[in-house]
Amino acid sequence: MRLFRRTPSPAAHTAPVAPVAPTVPSATSAIAAPAVAIAPVVAIASAVGVVGVAYGSMASAAGVPPWLVVLAAVLVLSASSELVFIGVIASGGLPWIAVGAGLLVNLRNFVYGFSASAFLPGQGVRRLFSAHLVNDESVAFATAQPHPARRLTAFRAVGVALLIAWPLGAAIGVLVGYVLPDPSRLGLDAAFPAVFVAILLGSVTRRTVVPAAAGATIAAAATPFVAAGMAPVLGVIGLLAAARRRGHRV
C-alpha cells in the first residue's frame, strides 16, 4: 500500500499580512488655507509707500513735527484721513477742524468693518490688532479673493504690509520734504486712488455693479466741489441703490 504525503499549500506558510490603515489627511493639511499671491501685496504696499512719501513731504512743508507725522501714520493708518488732516493744516485751518475732517473721512471704515467682520478672528487681542488693519486696500483685497479660506490671510498680508510701508514712506517723505515740496508735480497724488480702483474692479460682479456704478458716479461728480477725501464718503450713498434694488425683488 503506497503512502502519499500531502504537500501543504504555499498559503499555509505565508505570514498573515496586517491590514493597511487608510491614509487620513492631517488636521493641518485639511484646514490649511490656500496661499495668497505675494506679487499683488508687494505692489499695493509699494504704491501706498510712494503715497506715504508724498504725505510726509506735505506734512513737512506744512510745519508738522516729524515725530507726529510718523506717529500718526502708525496709529491712524489711514491715508485719506491723514491727507485731509494735513491739507486743512496746510491751508491754515484750525486743528480741531482738521481732526473733525479726518474723522469724517474715516467713517467709511465702519462700512469696511462690517465686511471684515465675516472673516476676522472671534475675540481678544488678535481681533483688536486685526481691527487696526481695516482700511481700503486690506478689505478690498480680502473680499476680492475667490476662495473664502484665503480672505483672512489676504487681509493680514496687505494690512501688515501697509503697516510697514505707510509709516516708512511717511518717514522718507519727511526727510525729502524740502526736495519734494509739491507731490502733485510728479503725479504722486494719483497713485492712491489708482491702486484702490484697480483692486475694486476685481471684486465687482453682476450683483454689485449697480451700487458700485452709482457710488463711483456720485464720488466723481462731487470731487470738484468738496474737500479732498470727502468724495468717497458721499459715494457710500451708492449703497442705497442696492437697497432699493433688493426692495423691488422682495
Side-chain angles (χ1 to χ4, degrees), residues 215-226:
T217 302
I218 293 172
T223 297
F225 308 103
V226 299

Side-chain angles (χ1 to χ4, degrees), residues 2-249:
R2 297 183 61 183
L3 298 177
F4 294 92
R5 186 178 181 183
R6 186 177 180 181
T7 304
S9 62
H13 296 282
T14 304
V17 179
V20 179
T23 303
V24 179
S26 63
T28 304
S29 62
I31 62 175
V36 176
I38 300 299
V41 177
V42 174
I44 294 170
S46 300
V48 171
V50 171
V51 181
V53 175
Y55 157 72
S57 64
M58 290 173 57
S60 178
V64 180
W67 66 267
L68 181 58
V69 176
V70 179
L71 183 63
V74 173
L75 297 181
V76 180
L77 196 61
S78 177
S80 296
S81 60
E82 292 176 57
L83 289 172
V84 169
F85 175 83
I86 295 301
V88 174
I89 295 297
S91 62
L94 297 175
W96 67 269
I97 296 179
V99 172
L103 290 175
L104 184 60
V105 172
N106 233 16
L107 286 178
R108 70 192 188 282
N109 278 355
F110 282 103
V111 180
Y112 300 146
F114 284 121
S115 299
S117 63
F119 52 80
L120 288 185
Q123 57 185 355
V125 178
R126 294 174 60 189
R127 187 174 181 87
L128 290 176
F129 177 73
S130 298
H132 183 58
L133 302 179
V134 171
N135 52 54
D136 309 59
E137 296 86 355
S138 61
V139 176
F141 185 72
T143 55
Q145 298 300 312
H147 302 287
R150 289 183 179 179
R151 290 176 181 171
L152 179 59
T153 304
F155 170 82
R156 287 175 173 171
V158 173
V160 173
L162 297 187
L163 185 60
I164 298 172
W166 177 248
L168 180 61
I172 295 174
V174 169
L175 296 177
V176 300
Y178 293 101
V179 179
L180 187 64
D182 186 7
S184 62
R185 293 181 180 179
L186 297 181
L188 297 180
D189 55 329
F192 180 78
V195 172
F196 187 42
V197 170
I199 297 172
L200 288 182
L201 287 179
S203 61
V204 174
T205 63
R206 294 181 60 183
R207 184 179 179 183
T208 60
V209 65
V210 172
T217 302
I218 293 172
T223 297
F225 308 103
V226 299
M230 287 298 298
V233 177
L234 298 178
V236 176
I237 299 175
L239 294 176
L240 298 177
R244 184 177 179 182
R245 190 178 183 183
R246 289 185 179 179
H248 287 311
R249 290 181 178 178

